[in-house]
Amino acid sequence: MNPASIISYARGDEPVDLLLKNARVVNVLSGEIDETDVAIVRTRIAGLGDYEAKETIDLQGAYLSPGFIDAHVHVESAMVPPSEFARAVVPLGTTTVITDPHEIANVLGLDGIRFMFESAKHGPLSMFVMASSCVPATHMETSGATLRWYDLVSLKSDPWVIGLAEVMNFPGVVAGEDEVLDKLRTFSDLVIDGHCPALSGKALQAYVAAGIMSDHECTTVAEAQEKLRLGMTIFIREATNAHNLKPLLPLVTPFNHHRICLCTDDRQPADLLDQGHIDFMVRTAIEEGIDPMIAIRMATWNTAQYFRLADRGAITPGRRADLIAFDDLKAPRPHRVWRGGRLVARDGEICVARKEVTPRTLRGTMNVDWNAVDLTVIAEGRRMRTIGVIPDQLVTENLVLDAPRRNGHVVADPSQDVLKIAVIERHMASGAVGKGFVRGIGLKSGALASSVAHDHHNLVVAGADDVSMMTAARRSAALGGGMVVAQGETVLAEVPLPLGGLMSTEPIEEVRRQLDGAIKIAHELGTTLHDPFMAMSFLGLEVIPSLKLTDQGLVDVDKFAPVSLWAE
Amino acid sequence: MNPASIISYARGDEPVDLLLKNARVVNVLSGEIDETDVAIVRTRIAGLGDYEAKETIDLQGAYLSPGFIDAHVHVESAMVPPSEFARAVVPLGTTTVITDPHEIANVLGLDGIRFMFESAKHGPLSMFVMASSCVPATHMETSGATLRWYDLVSLKSDPWVIGLAEVMNFPGVVAGEDEVLDKLRTFSDLVIDGHCPALSGKALQAYVAAGIMSDHECTTVAEAQEKLRLGMTIFIREATNAHNLKPLLPLVTPFNHHRICLCTDDRQPADLLDQGHIDFMVRTAIEEGIDPMIAIRMATWNTAQYFRLADRGAITPGRRADLIAFDDLKAPRPHRVWRGGRLVARDGEICVARKEVTPRTLRGTMNVDWNAVDLTVIAEGRRMRTIGVIPDQLVTENLVLDAPRRNGHVVADPSQDVLKIAVIERHMASGAVGKGFVRGIGLKSGALASSVAHDHHNLVVAGADDVSMMTAARRSAALGGGMVVAQGETVLAEVPLPLGGLMSTEPIEEVRRQLDGAIKIAHELGTTLHDPFMAMSFLGLEVIPSLKLTDQGLVDVDKFAPVSLWAE
C-alpha cells in the first residue's frame, strides 16, 4: 500500500475505515501509555486521536500494543504448516514471525521453502523467511537437498525473504571456509542471523567480523553480554527444549534493552497450546520483574528494527495496523488481534476460516528401498560404542558397553536398557542405514519410529526387537512420514506427518492429542523420557556432542568424524 | 572491503596492522567502559583484546569512542567546500557527516551536488548525501536549478547517497501534492528526513504517514515529544542561528534516548572554530547533566542506525575503524582521530595535506545583466510595505511605513533606519530585480551585498544609497560571488566566495578573518546587528514569515503570495 494514499485520512478530511476508541496505546517509542483512539485505513494506521470513522469499536480502556513478532522460529517444530501455525499463535497476539524453514529445506530444498510461503499466503500471520544457511548440517549425513549460495540467491528477489538464517556452521565461518563465506557475501546487503552456542573470545570476534549480526543460543548472561558488547543483537529464546528466558533476563538494562529481542526457535504443539507463544515470554518477563513497556518492546519494535521491517513494530501513522488489545499490562493476554486492520482473532479464537491442507501440494518424501534395509548387526567385536541419552538434554554420552549377542548378532537388551537404533535414509531410497545402540530410552518392548530427526530428517527408529522396529518404520513410511509406536507386528499409536514427514494436515489440537497419545503408549512400553520422540529426533544430529547416529553410521561429534560401532 | 578478509586477523592468526593499546573503550551498545586494546586491519576493526600487531600505539588509558556523526548539516554554511570543512571538523572528532547540499543545488543543481562529492572524495571525512528535496524552495523565486523526482532518481545509484533530504515542503506533503509525493515515492526504500517546524496534530500525522522519518526543527520538548511518539527520530540541533540543544535535552530519557541524534544544520566558521562541532554538543549535553554514555551514543550509534550505516557507530569487529581518543569522559576533546584506521588528526590539527580548491572546477554563477539592473523605485504610492528585521531571529515583521521620497522616487532614509534592499537574479541574467525597503539593519551610510541568500542565493544588497549598493553588488559579482561592504564607489571589505557564490577557496581560518573584518566595517557604518550578512541571507527566504523579498518582488509569507510594495 502506498503510504501517500492515507494522507487525506490522516489529515482528517475523509472518514477512516475503523476507529478503535478509548484505547490505552502502548507507545514503544516514548515508553508512555497514551489514552487515545487509533484510526485505521485499509491495512494501515492513519492517525491517533479523534477521527470520523465508518466503523467504531470501543475498547473501553483496553491496552493496545503492536502485534508481537517472533524473531526466530522453525514453524515445522509445531508439526503443522504455517497456515495452521497461524491459527495457533495469532490468537496469542503474534502477528509476524521470522522463520528459518530449514527443517523442510533439508527434506525438499527450495520446493519445501516455497511450500511454506504458499501455506502462509493470505493467512492471518505475516511470515518472513530467512534463507536457510546450513542445508545439510554436515557432510556426514544424507539430506533431501543441498542448498549452496547459488541456490539461495534466487530467494533474495522474494519480498518475504529478508536475510540469511542462523549460520550454524560457526566453525566454518571462523575457519574462513569458502562455502559458508559465499553465503555471507550473497546476503551481505540483508540481515544475517547467527547461531554460535558458547562461542567466545577471538573465535567469536572472527564470527562477528564476518558480518553476523545476532545470536539466539546464549544460555548465560555472561555469554550474552560478551556477544552484545561485540555488536550482536541478542534474541532471548524460550523453546520447548531450551529454556533461556529466565536465566537471561538479568541481561536487560535501560541502556541495552533495545538490542534484545524475543524468539521461540522450536515450540511443540503442547507448549504452544498450554503456555503460549511470544505472549508467554512477555508475561514471564514481566513476572520476573521486567518493566512491561520493555518486555513489550522486546517483542515488537526491537525485532522490527533489527529485521529492517520499517512498516511495523509501533502504533504510529503509516505503519501496519497489526494490533493487539488486552486488559492487564502486567500479564498481557490479547482478547482481540488485528492484522493489517482486519480482526483476525477474538477471545483466543481465530476469526478466519481454516485453510485445508492436502499433502498433494508436496511430493511424497518417504523414499525408502525396503529391500535394502537390513537392521541386523553382525557381532564383529566385543565392546561397542553406545549412545547414552541424558534426560532433557540434547547432548549425549559416548558410552562403551559389552555387546549383547545372540546367534552371532548383536541385539537389543531391554533388561540393561540397551535398545537398537537405526537411521534409515528416506529421501532418495539409497538403502543407507546407520545402525547402533542406545541406552536411556527405557523401552521394555516394542519400538518407536519417527521421520523427524534433525536436521536431515531421515527415519529414526529405536526398539527392543527388529520386528517391532520394522513395523514402526514401515508404518511411518506408509503414512508419508510420522511418529509411530509398534509392538511386534502391531501398530499401537501414530502421528501422521505427511507434509515432508514433518508436519500434519490436521488441526494443531488434533496433532497434540495424537502426540500425547503416542507418548502415553510409549510410556506404557517402559520409556522413562518425558518425550521420547523429541529425544530421538536429536539422536541423529551430528553437530551436538557427543555420540550421534546418522544414516552414514555413528559420529563422534567431539572429534567431528565418523566412528566405528566397535570400541574393541 | 570484504569483511571476510579480516576473519584470520580477528582469530589472531596474523598480526594486525595497528593495535591501540590500553584504551578505555566506550561501548555504546552495552553502556560500559571496557579496558582493552583495539586491533585494526586496513580500514576495519578486527577485534578487541590482546593481538599481535605490526604497529602499536599506547593510549595510556585514554577513552576511545566511535567517531562522531553529524546527522544533518549544510556544509555550505561553513562557507568552505567539503575538503576544507573536513579540516575544520575532523580534528574535533567528527568522522562522518550526513549532508544536504541544497545550497549549492539551488545554484548549480546536480552539477553542484557532484562538486560536493568531488571535494569530499579521498578526504579525511565520510560525507554521505541526502538528495535535496526542495530545489527551489517555492515558485516565487528564481533559483539556478530545479530538481524534480526524475532528476533526483539518478542520484540513488551513488553509494554515498542514502536518502531524501529534509522535506521542507511540509504543506505540500500534508496537502498531498504530486510533485513532492513523487519524490517520497522515489526514495521510499531509503531514509527520508523531515523538516516541519511547529507542525502538530493531524497535519503532523499526515506528514508522518507519508513516510517521513525524522525532524530537526523542534524548539520545545513538547514539540519533540509529539513527534517522537509518532515515530519520528529527533535530531537535536545546535546551529549558528538556532540554539535548540539546551532546551531539548530534557527530552532524553533512558527509554527513548536511542531515538535521538545530534546535528548542527548550519554552523558558520567562527562557531566551528571557537565552539566546535558535534563535540561541542556532546560536551554541552554532559555539562547539562546527560550521562556521557548517552551523549556519545546520540552522536554515534543512534545516527548510524537511523541512516542504516551498518559499518560504523560502534567499536566492534568488522566495523570501520573511525575512532577518537580523549582523556576526559565528562568533556571529550579528541586528541587523536582515526578514520578508517588512519590517523587523520592529532591535538586538534589535521594530519592530512590540505586539498587546494580552484574555482575552475565549477562554472561561474554570477550571471547578471547589469544593463537591466535598475535600483530606482518610482513613488507610486504613499505608504509602503517594509521588512522589519528582528535581531537574532529569522522571522521578520511586515511593517507599513510612509515612503521617503526624493524627486518622484522612493529612497532610503538612514535617519529613520529605512534602507533600500534589492534581490538581483544572478543565475541566468534574466534582469529580474526585486526591490523593497527594510528597517532594522541600521546602516548610516554605504551598502552590504551578498551572494548568500537562502535558498535561491540570488544577489541581495541593502544600503543607504543606490551608488553604494551598485558598488557592493557589482563587486560581489566580479568576485564570482561573495560578501561585500561598500561606501559610495569604494569597496571597504569583502569575503570572496567564488565557489557557487557560497564557498571560499581559502582556508576556513582565513574566511573567518575576512568575515569578521567585513562585519567590523559594517558595524562602523552603523549596523547594530550581530551579523548583518547572516540576517540579510534570510531576508530573501520566502518560507519563513512574515515579509520577505525575492528577485520576483515582495512576498507576504503568511499569505504565501506575492504582494505589492504599496500598501496604499
Side-chain angles (χ1 to χ4, degrees):
Chain A
M1 192 178 137
N2 180 358
S5 69
I6 60 171
I7 290 175
S8 60
Y9 300 94
R11 271 200 318 257
D13 285 0
E14 297 182 67
V16 300
D17 293 334
L18 175 63
L19 188 69
L20 305 180
K21 275 192 85 73
N22 299 318
R24 286 193 241 183
V25 171
V26 178
N27 191 318
V28 293
L29 301 171
S30 68
E32 301 160 317
I33 303 291
D34 304 327
E35 298 191 10
T36 185
D37 308 336
V38 177
I40 297 167
V41 174
R42 293 191 288 287
T43 62
R44 301 276 173 160
I45 295 159
L48 290 88
D50 189 30
Y51 280 86
E52 224 184 296
K54 293 175 195 157
E55 185 193 348
T56 297
I57 296 175
D58 189 341
L59 291 184
Q60 301 180 307
Y63 292 94
L64 195 70
S65 109
F68 296 137
I69 307 177
D70 189 339
H72 175 72
V73 60
H74 304 287
V75 169
E76 302 95 316
S77 295
M79 299 167 65
V80 290
S83 60
E84 187 63 22
F85 182 78
R87 274 190 65 241
V89 303
V90 168
L92 304 172
T94 303
T95 52
T96 299
V97 297
I98 289 88
T99 188
D100 169 11
H102 78 193
E103 314 301 352
I104 192 76
N106 266 284
V107 177
L108 283 165
L110 294 178
D111 280 356
I113 296 176
R114 288 194 195 98
F115 165 77
M116 300 297 270
F117 280 130
E118 189 62 31
S119 172
K121 211 155 61 177
H122 307 307
L125 178 70
S126 290
M127 186 186 82
F128 290 96
V129 162
M130 300 289 277
S132 304
S133 68
C134 299
V135 176
T138 83
H139 59 282
M140 292 180 287
E141 63 177 48
T142 307
S143 62
T146 299
L147 296 180
R148 306 192 67 149
W149 75 267
Y150 40 78
D151 301 305
L152 298 176
V153 75
S154 71
L155 292 171
K156 281 187 71 181
S157 54
D158 193 305
W160 293 97
V161 173
I162 57 174
L164 186 66
E166 50 173 341
V167 181
M168 299 187 289
N169 183 9
F170 58 88
V173 174
V174 175
E177 287 171 9
D178 282 343
E179 161 101 34
V180 62
L181 295 189
D182 280 345
K183 290 173 180 167
L184 298 182
R185 181 181 45 72
T186 302
F187 283 85
S188 63
D189 55 333
L190 298 180
V191 177
I192 300 181
D193 275 345
H195 163 120
C196 57
L199 197 66
S200 170
K202 287 181 180 168
L204 176 61
Q205 303 208 46
Y207 189 70
V208 172
I212 292 164
M213 303 174 186
S214 69
D215 181 72
H216 58 264
E217 293 288 332
C218 298
T219 57
T220 68
V221 169
E223 181 183 359
Q225 266 171 340
E226 183 182 3
K227 289 172 176 171
L228 188 143
R229 279 186 200 115
L230 291 174
M232 298 186 110
T233 295
I234 303 301
F235 299 170
I236 297 182
R237 169 178 62 184
E238 186 69 9
T240 290
N241 55 9
H243 302 283
N244 307 126
L245 177 59
K246 287 186 188 178
L248 288 185
L249 285 176
L251 173 71
V252 181
T253 72
F255 197 86
N256 72 19
H257 64 77
H258 74 291
R259 305 281 297 154
I260 302 171
C261 307
L262 303 181
C263 79
T264 63
D265 206 355
D266 298 280
R267 275 181 97 72
Q268 287 214 330
D271 283 348
L272 286 174
L273 295 170
D274 294 345
Q275 294 181 327
H277 190 233
I278 296 293
D279 62 316
F280 169 70
M281 296 186 69
V282 169
R283 287 191 299 271
T284 306
I286 296 168
E287 272 167 29
E288 296 285 309
I290 299 288
D291 177 344
M293 193 59 78
I294 291 179
I296 292 172
R297 186 178 176 153
M298 294 194 295
T300 57
W301 175 256
N302 293 356
T303 316
Q305 284 293 103
Y306 170 79
F307 285 105
R308 305 176 186 170
L309 300 173
D311 66 349
R312 64 195 70 204
I315 302 180
T316 64
R319 283 202 164 77
R320 285 181 59 86
D322 292 354
L323 301 167
I324 61 179
F326 51 88
D327 290 329
D328 186 354
L329 188 62
K330 296 218 163 98
R333 287 186 188 274
H335 49 73
R336 281 200 189 86
V337 180
W338 294 264
R339 174 175 177 254
R342 189 167 62 123
L343 188 72
V344 287
R346 180 147 192 185
D347 297 329
E349 298 292 329
I350 199 89
C351 302
V352 295
R354 182 168 182 267
K355 194 169 172 179
E356 284 298 324
V357 186
T358 61
R360 277 177 306 167
T361 52
L362 272 181
R363 283 190 289 119
T365 62
M366 300 305 292
N367 303 310
V368 180
D369 176 3
W370 290 107
N371 293 325
V373 173
D374 174 9
L375 298 183
T376 57
V377 177
I378 308 290
E380 294 170 332
R382 201 173 56 79
R383 307 254 300 160
M384 63 180 188
R385 293 189 173 83
T386 305
I387 300 169
V389 174
I390 307 172
D392 298 324
Q393 292 207 35
L394 305 186
V395 296
T396 61
E397 288 180 290
N398 186 344
L399 305 174
V400 175
L401 303 179
D402 288 334
R405 287 156 176 260
R406 191 189 307 154
N407 302 331
H409 293 153
V410 191
V411 295
D413 180 356
S415 72
Q416 298 185 65
D417 189 16
V418 173
L419 301 182
K420 189 184 280 183
I421 181 168
V423 174
I424 302 168
E425 193 279 314
R426 61 109 162 171
H427 301 296
M428 48 200 71
S430 66
V433 182
K435 291 177 270 193
F437 291 85
V438 59
R439 168 172 281 179
I441 293 180
L443 283 186
K444 298 301 178 198
S445 68
L448 310 177
S450 176
S451 54
V452 178
H454 300 284
D455 285 342
H456 47 72
H457 299 300
N458 285 306
L459 181 51
V460 60
V461 54
D465 67 279
D466 290 4
V467 174
S468 297
M469 287 173 75
M470 284 302 283
T471 303
R474 279 178 172 274
R475 180 59 185 164
S476 175
L479 291 169
M483 294 160 176
V484 177
V485 188
Q487 193 174 35
E489 293 185 351
T490 309
V491 172
L492 300 179
E494 61 190 32
V495 185
L497 301 172
L499 301 172
L502 300 173
M503 294 171 283
S504 174
T505 57
E506 297 296 319
I508 191 167
E509 298 83 357
E510 172 63 14
V511 178
R512 186 255 177 99
R513 205 188 55 73
Q514 290 173 350
L515 182 59
D516 284 354
I519 292 171
K520 183 160 171 284
I521 303 289
H523 284 157
E524 289 170 13
L525 294 182
T527 185
T528 51
L529 294 173
H530 171 64
D531 179 349
F533 291 105
M534 174 168 292
M536 273 170 57
S537 75
F538 285 99
L539 297 183
L541 183 53
E542 74 277 23
V543 295
I544 297 183
S546 289
L547 187 66
K548 295 293 170 85
L549 180 71
T550 78
D551 65 306
Q552 304 295 307
L554 286 170
V555 175
D556 182 330
V557 183
D558 301 321
K559 294 180 179 150
F560 209 64
V563 69
S564 160
L565 175 64
W566 301 107
E568 55 186 84
Chain B
M1 191 176 137
N2 179 358
S5 68
I6 60 171
I7 290 176
S8 60
Y9 300 94
R11 270 200 318 258
D13 286 0
E14 297 183 66
V16 300
D17 293 334
L18 174 63
L19 188 69
L20 304 181
K21 277 191 85 74
N22 299 318
R24 286 193 240 182
V25 171
V26 178
N27 192 317
V28 293
L29 302 171
S30 68
E32 301 159 318
I33 303 291
D34 304 327
E35 298 192 10
T36 185
D37 308 335
V38 177
I40 296 167
V41 173
R42 294 191 288 285
T43 62
R44 299 277 174 159
I45 295 159
L48 290 89
D50 189 29
Y51 280 86
E52 226 185 295
K54 293 176 194 157
E55 184 193 348
T56 296
I57 295 174
D58 189 341
L59 291 184
Q60 301 181 308
Y63 292 95
L64 195 69
S65 108
F68 296 137
I69 307 176
D70 189 338
H72 176 70
V73 58
H74 304 287
V75 169
E76 302 95 316
S77 294
M79 299 165 67
V80 290
S83 60
E84 186 64 22
F85 182 77
R87 275 191 65 241
V89 303
V90 168
L92 304 172
T94 304
T95 52
T96 299
V97 297
I98 289 88
T99 188
D100 169 11
H102 78 195
E103 313 300 353
I104 192 77
N106 266 285
V107 176
L108 283 165
L110 294 178
D111 280 355
I113 295 177
R114 288 195 196 98
F115 165 77
M116 299 298 270
F117 281 130
E118 189 61 33
S119 172
K121 209 155 64 177
H122 307 307
L125 177 70
S126 290
M127 186 187 83
F128 290 96
V129 163
M130 300 289 277
S132 304
S133 69
C134 299
V135 176
T138 83
H139 60 282
M140 291 179 288
E141 63 177 47
T142 306
S143 62
T146 299
L147 296 180
R148 305 193 67 148
W149 76 267
Y150 41 78
D151 301 304
L152 297 176
V153 75
S154 70
L155 292 171
K156 280 187 72 182
S157 54
D158 192 304
W160 294 96
V161 173
I162 57 175
L164 186 66
E166 49 174 341
V167 182
M168 298 187 291
N169 183 9
F170 59 88
V173 174
V174 174
E177 288 172 8
D178 283 342
E179 161 104 34
V180 62
L181 295 188
D182 281 345
K183 291 172 180 167
L184 298 182
R185 181 181 45 72
T186 303
F187 283 84
S188 63
D189 56 334
L190 298 179
V191 177
I192 300 181
D193 276 344
H195 162 120
C196 56
L199 196 65
S200 170
K202 286 183 181 167
L204 175 61
Q205 303 208 49
Y207 189 69
V208 171
I212 292 164
M213 304 173 184
S214 68
D215 181 71
H216 58 264
E217 293 287 334
C218 298
T219 57
T220 68
V221 169
E223 180 183 0
Q225 265 170 342
E226 182 182 4
K227 289 173 177 172
L228 189 142
R229 279 187 201 115
L230 291 174
M232 300 186 109
T233 295
I234 303 301
F235 300 170
I236 297 181
R237 169 178 62 183
E238 187 69 10
T240 289
N241 55 10
H243 302 284
N244 307 126
L245 178 59
K246 288 186 188 178
L248 289 185
L249 284 175
L251 173 71
V252 181
T253 72
F255 197 87
N256 72 18
H257 64 76
H258 73 292
R259 305 281 297 156
I260 303 170
C261 307
L262 303 181
C263 78
T264 63
D265 206 357
D266 299 280
R267 275 180 97 71
Q268 287 213 327
D271 284 347
L272 286 173
L273 295 171
D274 294 344
Q275 295 180 326
H277 190 233
I278 295 294
D279 63 316
F280 169 70
M281 296 186 69
V282 169
R283 287 191 300 270
T284 307
I286 295 168
E287 273 168 30
E288 296 286 309
I290 298 290
D291 178 345
M293 193 60 77
I294 291 178
I296 292 172
R297 185 175 177 157
M298 293 193 296
T300 57
W301 175 256
N302 294 356
T303 316
Q305 284 294 102
Y306 170 80
F307 284 105
R308 305 175 187 169
L309 299 174
D311 66 349
R312 64 196 70 204
I315 302 181
T316 64
R319 282 203 165 77
R320 287 180 60 84
D322 292 353
L323 302 168
I324 61 178
F326 52 88
D327 290 327
D328 185 354
L329 188 62
K330 296 221 163 94
R333 285 185 188 275
H335 49 72
R336 280 199 190 87
V337 180
W338 294 264
R339 174 174 177 255
R342 189 167 63 122
L343 188 72
V344 288
R346 183 151 189 181
D347 297 329
E349 297 292 328
I350 199 89
C351 303
V352 295
R354 181 168 182 267
K355 194 168 170 180
E356 283 298 323
V357 185
T358 61
R360 277 178 306 169
T361 52
L362 273 180
R363 283 190 291 116
T365 62
M366 300 305 293
N367 303 310
V368 180
D369 176 2
W370 290 106
N371 293 324
V373 173
D374 173 11
L375 298 184
T376 56
V377 177
I378 308 291
E380 293 170 333
R382 201 175 55 82
R383 305 254 302 160
M384 63 180 187
R385 293 190 175 82
T386 305
I387 300 169
V389 174
I390 306 172
D392 298 322
Q393 292 207 36
L394 306 186
V395 297
T396 61
E397 288 179 291
N398 187 342
L399 306 174
V400 175
L401 303 179
D402 287 335
R405 290 158 174 257
R406 193 189 308 152
N407 303 331
H409 294 151
V410 189
V411 295
D413 181 358
S415 71
Q416 297 185 64
D417 189 15
V418 173
L419 301 182
K420 190 184 280 182
I421 181 168
V423 175
I424 303 168
E425 192 279 316
R426 61 108 162 173
H427 300 296
M428 47 200 72
S430 65
V433 182
K435 290 176 272 192
F437 292 84
V438 58
R439 167 173 281 179
I441 293 180
L443 284 185
K444 298 299 178 200
S445 68
L448 309 178
S450 176
S451 55
V452 179
H454 299 285
D455 286 338
H456 47 72
H457 299 302
N458 285 306
L459 181 51
V460 59
V461 53
D465 67 280
D466 290 4
V467 174
S468 297
M469 287 174 75
M470 283 303 282
T471 303
R474 279 176 172 272
R475 180 61 186 165
S476 174
L479 291 168
M483 294 160 175
V484 177
V485 188
Q487 193 174 36
E489 293 185 348
T490 308
V491 172
L492 300 179
E494 62 191 30
V495 184
L497 300 173
L499 302 171
L502 299 174
M503 294 171 282
S504 173
T505 58
E506 297 294 320
I508 192 168
E509 297 84 356
E510 172 63 14
V511 178
R512 185 254 176 97
R513 205 188 55 71
Q514 290 172 351
L515 183 59
D516 283 355
I519 292 172
K520 184 160 171 284
I521 303 288
H523 284 157
E524 289 170 11
L525 294 181
T527 184
T528 50
L529 295 174
H530 171 64
D531 179 348
F533 290 105
M534 174 170 289
M536 273 170 56
S537 76
F538 285 98
L539 296 184
L541 183 53
E542 75 277 23
V543 295
I544 298 185
S546 289
L547 186 65
K548 294 295 170 84
L549 180 71
T550 78
D551 65 306
Q552 305 294 308
L554 285 170
V555 176
D556 182 328
V557 183
D558 301 320
K559 294 182 180 148
F560 209 65
V563 68
S564 160
L565 174 63
W566 300 107
E568 56 188 86

